[in-house]
Amino acid sequence: MDVASNNNGDGTTLVAKGVTTRGEGDYLMAFYASLGSGTWTSPSNMGIAVRNDYGDSGPSNFPNLGTQAWSYSAAPTGDKVTTEWGNSAQWVADLVAFKPLYRIPPQTVGDINPGAIYRGCRGKVALSNGIGAFGNSCIKTTSFCLCRDTTKTDNLCTTSNPTAGGVRLKGTGSDVELVNCM
């Protein structure tokens, strides 16, 4: 992972502060979370932008506000802004620049739900001896999957290249991992 930013506020305009990518072919992912609800706009020139307006419990999937995987050259990215058309509410935003383990191909028309929002999926997996798997019909070989250890946030979690319907995980012992695939 190259660099990350963070920001928070109160209102309907959510701003993920810009970062400077460090290498040719870096990808960007923006995360937006709000305690409000409403219709969201897509950030400009953004491939992966995940929204969560469901509070702490989260939805069964996280809608992606972007439409394609974009790679960037080494340069400042500028802020990535989305607007939530609804009531003013507390929010957090984070923009991350990273090098994927494998190329993220652009999605085809069949991969994208009608409209501008591509819907991913998420779930929790309890590891056994540091190994686990997450299965869901929404996972494709072109999906981008991330995991996060929920038992101890300092513990690492990694995903394999996804297959149709699943992705393997590596982590620590019997920790519980949160998996997001888009």
Side-chain angles (χ1 to χ4, degrees):
M1 195 164 288
D2 282 343
V3 290
S5 71
N6 65 56
N7 197 13
N8 62 68
D10 194 315
T12 58
T13 302
L14 291 72
V15 180
K17 290 181 183 176
V19 297
T20 299
T21 57
R22 295 184 180 160
E24 186 68 35
D26 280 1
Y27 284 76
L28 294 179
M29 179 178 284
F31 299 92
Y32 301 97
S34 170
L35 294 177
S37 63
T39 303
W40 294 58
T41 60
S42 297
S44 63
N45 298 326
M46 194 69 233
I48 306 168
V50 182
R51 87 178 222 199
N52 176 8
D53 54 0
Y54 294 86
D56 292 335
S57 61
S60 60
N61 63 49
F62 290 104
N64 181 10
L65 300 171
T67 57
Q68 289 288 350
W70 293 66
S71 70
Y72 295 81
S73 56
T77 63
D79 295 345
K80 300 300 178 182
V81 179
T82 185
T83 302
E84 181 184 10
W85 300 102
N87 295 329
S88 182
Q90 291 181 333
W91 57 266
V92 294
D94 197 10
L95 183 63
V96 177
F98 65 97
K99 284 242 187 277
L101 296 175
Y102 54 92
R103 186 179 174 278
I104 304 170
Q107 288 113 6
T108 62
V109 174
D111 289 335
I112 300 174
N113 287 339
I117 297 176
Y118 176 68
R119 300 194 182 275
C121 55
R122 77 172 190 119
K124 288 187 178 179
V125 174
L127 300 178
S128 176
N129 295 321
I131 297 173
F134 175 62
N136 193 302
S137 63
C138 77
I139 303 172
K140 301 174 178 10
T141 57
T142 57
S143 292
F144 178 71
C145 298
L146 293 171
C147 59
R148 181 178 59 88
D149 195 300
T150 64
T151 305
K152 185 176 180 195
T153 56
D154 289 344
N155 288 346
L156 295 177
C157 177
T158 58
T159 62
S160 67
N161 290 344
T163 59
V167 63
R168 292 185 317 261
L169 312 170
K170 275 188 175 180
T172 304
S174 59
D175 286 1
V176 176
E177 311 299 330
L178 177 64
V179 183
N180 288 306
C181 291
M182 294 173 275

